[in-house]
Amino acid sequence: MPIFILAGLLVHCVFLVSIFDIYFSSPLVHGMTPQQTPLPPPAKRLVLFVADGLRADSLYELNSNDTPQAPYLRSILENNGSWGISHTRVPTESRPGHVALIAGFYEDVSAVAKGWKENPVEFDSVFNESKYTWSWGSPDILPMFAKGATGNHVYTFCYPAESEDFGAQDAAKLDIWVFDHVKSFFNSSRSNQTLFSALNQEKVVLFLHLLGIDTNGHAHRPNSREYKENIKKVDEGVKEIASMIDNFYGNDGKTAFILTSDHGMTDWGSHGAGHPSETLTPLIVWGAGVNYPQKVPSQFFEDNFLKEWKLENLKRLDVNQADIAPLMASLIGVPFPLNSVGILPLEYLNNTAHFKAESMFTNAVQILEQFKVKLSQKKKTTLSFLFTPFKPLSDSEQINFLKKIRLYIQQQKYNEAVSLCKILINLALEGLSYYHTYDRLFLGISITTGFVGWMTYVVLVIIKTHTNLTRTVPANNKKSTVLFYSFAFAGMIIAFFLLIQTCPWTYYIYCLLPVPIWYAVVTEIPVIQDLATNILSLHIGQCIGFLLVCILGIEILVFSFFYRSALSVGLVVFAGWPVITQLWVQAKKRALIWALLCVLLALFPLMPVVGREPNIPLVIAAGLLTLLISCFSLASLWRSENKYRSNEDLKVYFYQMLSIALSTYVVSSTHDSLKNKLGLPVLNQIISWMTLVSSPVLLLLSSTFLFQRLFSILLSLMSTYLLLSTGYEALFPLVLFGLMFVWINMEQEALQHYGLSLKPKLVGFNFAYNMDITQYRQLHLDDVRRSFFFVFFIVTAFFGTGNIASINSFDPASVYCFLTVFSPFMMGGLLVLKVVIPFVLVSCAFEAVQVTTQLSSKSLFLIVLVISDIMALHFFFLVKDYGSWLDIGTSISHYVLVMSLTIFMMLMNGLAQLLTTQRLELSRRIKHH
């Protein structure tokens, strides 16, 4: 069986990773030649301000007294420059946002897994193409552009990482640091001849990364006073820097300025997904070569922002985030970044029609270069008779386009040239996408074949080893040898086919994996024959009814990933389960408590997602309620028969209650301290980390009697969960555990109801005593329902308090008891732990259900595996890389989540066994006389 679990883990890891090869492999190609506009540029230098986490509406909207949030920037867009909205893409995080702005391409999702701070892939950028770039700001962003640059011309000045503190007095100090350092840099250049002459060169970029707004947004929300004050400080800083730079260069009119943001932020202070508050960012451009404001009588946009912002009569020029890179390149006359897919927004340029046409032509040729490289790569790795080219851009079509555009420019038909360039760009981008997704169908079929084969094999293993539906048939050696060689031959043909096409090594895994899986299925043909005979002898109506119930159950689970309220519907149906099956007749009291707890748990998915409105009193109430329940349990344990308890056990419970009390106090005092801007108290931080480390140890010291151990698991996990809670979710594990507790009892009633076994005494049941293997019973149809209950409770544990499939549901406030300084991996780890805790509670209860219903833990777990795999295959077909960015982000995270869930359940199965059966025995101290 361990080999089977290992194989299962391996197969699921391959299925999980495959999505990144099929849908989200890197779009980058290398080997293009740089393209540069042949005419002189309007600007010698460019100043780029990126206000991290600044929403478009937060900058453009007016205050209640009709004054602007940022007076200087408002006056710029009304009198001196052009403005619009820059539309970002998922994931709305700092790194992909900056890559789109400065390099002009949208980073593939897999880059996230390879690391945020370094360059997972080499790429070209406006900074790399510049003569010199000086940048100031965050150590998370600046180094990646310096590291990717060739030569030594990109300089970075960063503050220490510890400065990025969510609990600090005011994060605006990060932006003030940047402004102060830029000023002192220019002052020092007057006495440094080398620096002075470098600053006076052409093609110079100055990059100011302003992180304060993002940090204040996370800590206090975008509608807070702190966030708005920070915008004002940035506005003042931009005004001072722009004025200082103009004075430094003697107002030569050769400086272009751009202010934008890498991403926005939700009302509850997070980002990462595709909500408009995250994807709409401001863009204000002014200075050399930039158009002045254009007055218009009216303009139409789907959103109603213009009226709110009182900007109806100033032309709004929207762009995609990647379009800003070619705009910067065009303004200072550097080659367009090689991998840029941005389209130059001509309406921002104040220049001759000739310059615009030449710039657009450069843009078209630069994107066409990428298309040519992609085409030659694909041709090399595909057999000529199987290759289907992208017809709209054949070699002759390309030459035709380029000749026509060149002719139009020579004839001074600039508008026609620009129109043709736009058509060519769109075709080249379509072609890039065509070749990028060329192998998708072929890989998708391979993975689906593997998926279906794996599920079939698991079903056959269940039927063969855990039911009475089949009879053992002696193996036919001659037949099995022929089978083996047939499949081996098929594998060799596939490998040879991939080899002559020089496919990547991952393709071998995806295409060869189905071969051994289907070989294992075909060797079980006698089992399939027996099963068919048995099914035919059954009542056809019953079979169809059972199948329909199974499909309905799985569809509710799939639906719950999109609408959390589906879980509430499922839980209400669960509440009626004892009535439907007549179980309530023999256990009225338990059935009533079961129904009550189901309805109570059904309320959680109907509540808003966690983290949007912190509610610390509810967390404190959850801590006190846990203590109250503990006191009752302790009292009943004290009165219980002596053989089920010892004084050592009572001591452990006492320490766990103390830990709960401490956690409740720490949550309360930490949030008070942060509210008063006093930072995270060191004592609280120490207690939090000690609680996290000590709670699993205390749990392993407790008694292994069924209810005592399960209750100890609740107390241990609850002490950590309280520290990670900010609102109503603190009550969730309590209600969930209550339901799990009753579930274990109800399953005993169900066993008795179906006459599968006598009712054992659960009070005296000990996890540590291994059940005699002869007492294991075979699977019954009702066990499919048990497995479904488990999967449903696992999904409820995931989505009960929020849609964790969306990156923007994560709230950094959850980890403030542990740390407030920005650390993505530490914070991410703690947030994952918070998600896992309800998961562990359900897994331990399921372990209890398995052992008390006299089932081998493997048999029920295999059914669980089949259910979750059917869900995973469902989501595999729902993954998409088109449509709105919200849809794309959600479809990826759903598949990744359900696959991770399956892999996780395999690991959780082992963890639940460890947590329920193992006990640490502390050596008794010997008295010395």
Side-chain angles (χ1 to χ4, degrees):
M1 201 66 186
I3 294 170
F4 181 80
I5 288 177
L6 269 175
L9 267 172
L10 194 70
V11 166
H12 285 88
C13 286
V14 170
F15 291 158
L16 175 57
V17 173
S18 70
I19 189 183
F20 293 107
D21 255 340
I22 296 172
Y23 290 94
F24 305 103
S25 54
S26 174
L28 296 190
V29 286
H30 301 285
M32 291 79 66
T33 45
Q35 302 296 321
Q36 188 173 347
T37 309
L39 302 177
K44 282 185 175 179
R45 66 203 73 89
L46 176 103
V47 185
L48 172 65
F49 301 96
V50 176
D52 204 304
L54 175 60
R55 287 159 52 144
D57 57 346
S58 298
L59 180 68
Y60 293 139
E61 70 188 2
L62 300 170
N63 291 320
S64 49
N65 55 358
D66 270 6
T67 56
Q69 294 277 11
Y72 173 71
L73 289 168
R74 182 79 175 198
S75 75
I76 288 286
L77 71 89
E78 286 178 350
N79 308 306
N80 302 76
S82 292
W83 76 285
I85 285 176
S86 162
H87 295 263
T88 72
R89 285 196 186 179
V90 172
T92 44
E93 296 290 348
S94 291
R95 186 201 154 91
H98 280 89
V99 170
L101 280 172
I102 298 159
F105 72 91
Y106 301 104
E107 203 164 26
D108 61 295
V109 183
S110 58
V112 176
K114 295 173 190 167
W116 285 90
K117 295 188 183 179
E118 293 302 323
N119 271 357
V121 282
E122 288 305 314
F123 58 81
D124 189 24
S125 70
V126 173
F127 294 176
N128 187 35
E129 297 291 356
S130 70
K131 187 81 179 273
Y132 292 106
T133 293
W134 286 276
S135 54
W136 295 265
S138 162
D140 295 333
I141 296 300
L142 305 190
M144 73 179 177
F145 292 103
K147 191 183 178 214
T150 50
N152 189 18
H153 65 278
V154 178
Y155 303 99
T156 59
F157 304 94
C158 309
Y159 37 73
E162 296 73 50
S163 307
E164 299 174 21
D165 189 345
F166 294 128
Q169 289 174 344
D170 189 7
K173 69 177 193 287
L174 299 175
D175 299 341
I176 292 162
W177 184 98
V178 170
F179 294 133
D180 289 347
H181 276 70
V182 175
K183 288 175 201 167
S184 64
F185 172 80
F186 272 90
N187 289 335
S188 69
S189 73
R190 294 183 192 277
S191 56
N192 180 338
Q193 193 52 46
T194 318
L195 180 57
F196 187 79
S197 65
L199 277 167
N200 278 285
Q201 299 274 344
E202 292 184 348
K203 301 176 183 178
V204 164
V205 178
L206 302 163
F207 171 41
L208 284 73
H209 176 243
L210 309 165
L211 187 65
I213 294 175
D214 184 69
T215 310
N216 266 323
H218 284 309
H220 306 288
R221 312 286 185 262
N223 294 318
S224 64
R225 184 180 55 79
E226 288 85 354
Y227 187 85
K228 288 174 180 170
E229 284 294 320
N230 203 153
I231 294 174
K232 279 199 172 64
K233 283 180 184 164
V234 165
D235 184 58
E236 288 158 15
V238 170
K239 183 182 180 180
E240 286 172 23
I241 296 295
S243 163
M244 183 203 68
I245 288 174
D246 282 340
N247 291 337
F248 182 86
Y249 289 108
N251 292 308
D252 65 352
K254 288 288 181 185
T255 312
F257 298 91
I258 292 181
L259 178 130
T260 185
S261 171
D262 53 349
H263 56 75
M265 190 173 277
T266 58
D267 289 341
W268 53 95
S270 62
H271 54 83
H275 190 271
S277 61
E278 299 163 90
T279 58
L280 303 183
T281 60
L283 174 63
I284 302 176
V285 190
W286 71 101
V290 179
N291 249 336
Y292 286 101
Q294 299 166 58
K295 296 271 193 292
V296 286
S298 66
Q299 48 188 334
F300 174 74
F301 283 91
E302 281 184 9
D303 52 54
N304 297 316
F305 290 135
L306 289 170
K307 210 169 186 181
E308 283 174 40
W309 301 339
K310 304 209 168 149
L311 289 168
E312 307 101 307
N313 303 118
L314 283 176
K315 192 162 188 188
R316 169 178 151 186
L317 308 169
D318 281 17
V319 299
N320 288 320
Q321 196 171 37
D323 301 342
I324 297 171
L327 174 63
M328 293 194 286
S330 175
L331 288 171
I332 55 169
V334 298
F336 287 32
L338 292 173
N339 294 109
S340 168
V341 292
I343 303 171
L344 179 64
L346 289 180
E347 288 178 295
Y348 275 90
L349 298 181
N350 178 14
N351 216 314
T352 61
H354 183 200
F355 180 85
K356 289 182 181 179
E358 284 287 3
S359 297
M360 209 64 200
F361 184 53
T362 306
N363 195 178
V365 172
Q366 170 260 324
I367 291 175
L368 188 63
E369 279 282 312
Q370 293 180 70
F371 169 80
K372 286 178 179 172
V373 172
K374 199 83 175 170
L375 163 67
S376 69
Q377 279 181 0
K378 199 40 70 189
K379 254 187 175 170
K380 268 184 204 166
T381 58
T382 313
L383 294 172
S384 54
F385 67 91
L386 290 174
F387 184 68
T388 317
F390 182 66
K391 294 212 171 64
L393 265 190
S394 61
D395 290 352
S396 58
E397 281 292 325
Q398 289 176 38
I399 295 163
N400 204 7
F401 265 112
L402 296 174
K403 270 186 183 167
K404 258 190 189 171
I405 296 166
R406 194 31 80 209
L407 189 67
Y408 279 142
I409 292 174
Q410 283 166 2
Q411 293 172 347
Q412 298 187 0
K413 293 181 177 175
Y414 300 125
N415 289 340
E416 289 89 334
V418 166
S419 302
L420 211 52
C421 284
K422 285 181 178 172
I423 293 169
L424 178 57
I425 287 173
N426 287 326
L427 282 175
L429 289 172
E430 263 180 54
L432 268 173
S433 172
Y434 172 80
Y435 288 122
H436 186 57
T437 59
Y438 193 81
D439 296 330
R440 183 170 296 175
L441 181 68
F442 156 63
L443 291 176
I445 290 169
S446 295
I447 292 296
T448 307
T449 311
F451 239 126
V452 174
W454 169 257
M455 286 189 288
T456 312
Y457 180 65
V458 175
V459 169
L460 292 175
V461 168
I462 294 169
I463 289 161
K464 186 181 175 183
T465 54
H466 299 285
T467 67
N468 300 321
L469 293 173
T470 60
R471 56 185 198 281
T472 49
V473 180
N476 185 333
N477 287 338
K478 198 175 179 183
K479 258 188 189 174
S480 55
T481 312
V482 171
L483 258 180
F484 176 77
Y485 283 117
S486 310
F487 275 90
F489 182 63
M492 282 159 72
I493 288 173
I494 293 168
F496 177 70
F497 182 71
L498 295 171
L499 188 69
I500 54 174
Q501 296 199 92
T502 57
C503 290
W505 63 271
T506 47
Y507 283 32
Y508 288 84
I509 298 173
Y510 306 143
C511 299
L512 291 173
L513 187 66
V515 177
I517 292 176
W518 279 101
Y519 170 69
V521 170
V522 174
T523 50
E524 302 295 349
I525 278 177
V527 178
I528 299 168
Q529 288 168 340
D530 281 359
L531 182 65
T533 314
N534 276 307
I535 286 173
L536 290 172
S537 65
L538 290 173
H539 190 267
I540 196 81
Q542 279 179 330
C543 288
I544 293 168
F546 178 69
L547 266 176
L548 285 174
V549 169
C550 288
I551 292 165
L552 181 70
I554 289 170
E555 285 308 310
I556 285 179
L557 284 175
V558 169
F559 209 63
S560 70
F561 277 68
F562 299 96
Y563 307 99
R564 287 167 59 222
S565 50
L567 292 171
S568 302
V569 174
L571 284 163
V572 169
V573 173
F574 279 14
W577 164 60
V579 179
I580 297 162
T581 55
Q582 299 292 307
L583 265 179
W584 70 281
V585 176
Q586 68 194 59
K588 287 189 175 64
K589 192 175 163 189
R590 279 179 184 173
L592 190 66
I593 298 169
W594 163 266
L596 195 70
L597 284 167
C598 278
V599 171
L600 208 54
L601 193 65
L603 298 176
F604 284 93
L606 299 174
M607 292 183 191
V609 170
V610 157
R612 308 221 169 157
E613 290 301 324
N615 191 334
I616 301 306
L618 268 181
V619 182
I620 296 163
L624 296 174
L625 186 61
T626 310
L627 285 173
L628 190 68
I629 294 167
S630 305
C631 291
F632 278 117
S633 303
L634 215 59
S636 68
L637 191 64
W638 186 257
R639 291 198 303 271
S640 71
E641 298 170 42
N642 203 38
K643 64 176 176 175
Y644 297 137
R645 70 166 175 83
S646 69
N647 289 341
E648 293 294 322
D649 298 341
L650 296 177
K651 266 187 206 168
V652 171
Y653 284 127
F654 178 72
Y655 289 135
Q656 286 184 313
M657 286 168 69
L658 188 67
S659 181
I660 296 273
L662 269 174
S663 294
T664 310
Y665 162 75
V666 166
V667 169
S668 171
S669 70
T670 299
H671 284 269
D672 282 346
S673 174
L674 292 175
K675 211 174 186 179
N676 300 324
K677 297 195 176 168
L678 299 170
L680 167 60
V682 178
L683 180 66
N684 289 11
Q685 196 174 11
I686 293 167
I687 292 172
S688 298
W689 284 106
M690 282 180 68
T691 303
L692 181 67
V693 173
S694 65
S695 53
V697 178
L698 282 173
L699 148 63
L700 292 173
L701 289 171
S702 66
S703 162
T704 52
F705 283 107
L706 188 118
F707 291 136
Q708 290 177 36
R709 175 50 70 96
L710 287 177
F711 194 66
S712 180
I713 288 170
L714 171 73
L715 292 183
S716 269
L717 296 178
M718 200 62 192
S719 57
T720 306
Y721 198 82
L722 284 170
L723 293 169
L724 292 166
S725 297
T726 58
Y728 74 84
E729 82 271 23
L731 295 162
F732 181 70
L734 281 177
V735 180
L736 183 68
F737 178 76
L739 185 62
M740 294 300 98
F741 202 79
V742 181
W743 181 37
I744 296 164
N745 284 289
M746 287 301 287
E747 288 298 358
Q748 288 303 304
E749 301 293 347
L751 267 189
Q752 208 182 357
H753 180 74
Y754 289 108
L756 294 172
S757 97
L758 295 169
K759 191 171 163 186
K761 198 176 183 186
L762 285 183
V763 180
F765 193 92
N766 195 324
F767 278 120
Y769 301 148
N770 286 332
M771 190 186 282
D772 179 6
I773 205 154
T774 56
Q775 288 187 325
Y776 285 142
R777 61 181 181 80
Q778 295 285 45
L779 283 171
H780 180 261
L781 211 52
D782 194 43
D783 293 316
V784 177
R785 192 253 327 140
R786 271 186 194 93
S787 302
F788 177 76
F789 270 28
F790 170 61
V791 178
F792 191 93
F793 288 139
I794 281 286
V795 174
T796 306
F798 255 67
F799 293 116
T801 59
N803 177 14
I804 83 130
S806 171
I807 307 169
N808 74 15
S809 304
F810 288 137
D811 180 15
S814 297
V815 302
Y816 287 171
C817 289
F818 293 90
L819 75 162
T820 54
V821 175
F822 181 65
S823 167
F825 293 109
M826 187 75 82
M827 287 179 161
L830 288 166
L831 288 166
V832 167
L833 177 68
K834 183 182 178 179
V835 170
V836 165
I837 286 173
F839 208 43
V840 175
L841 282 176
V842 176
S843 296
C844 291
F846 186 57
E847 181 63 24
V849 165
Q850 289 180 113
V851 292
T852 57
T853 54
Q854 296 168 329
L855 273 174
S856 142
S857 61
K858 311 293 180 294
S859 54
L860 273 192
F861 181 69
L862 289 175
I863 302 175
V864 166
L865 206 58
V866 173
I867 295 170
S868 54
D869 277 343
I870 294 169
M871 284 167 64
L873 191 58
H874 216 112
F875 284 117
F876 181 76
F877 290 118
L878 292 176
V879 171
K880 50 178 155 181
D881 61 351
Y882 58 87
S884 86
W885 284 101
L886 183 60
D887 294 345
I888 293 167
T890 310
S891 74
I892 308 163
S893 46
H894 281 164
Y895 178 72
V896 170
L897 199 66
V898 80
M899 282 309 296
S900 309
L901 234 153
T902 312
I903 295 167
F904 220 55
M905 280 197 276
M906 293 183 181
L907 302 173
M908 275 291 158
N909 195 31
L911 180 66
Q913 284 180 8
L914 176 84
L915 292 179
T916 51
T917 57
Q918 298 305 310
R919 185 173 187 182
L920 294 175
E921 294 287 349
L922 290 183
S923 52
R924 303 282 154 87
R925 275 182 292 179
I926 302 160
K927 287 182 185 175
H928 293 285
H929 295 287

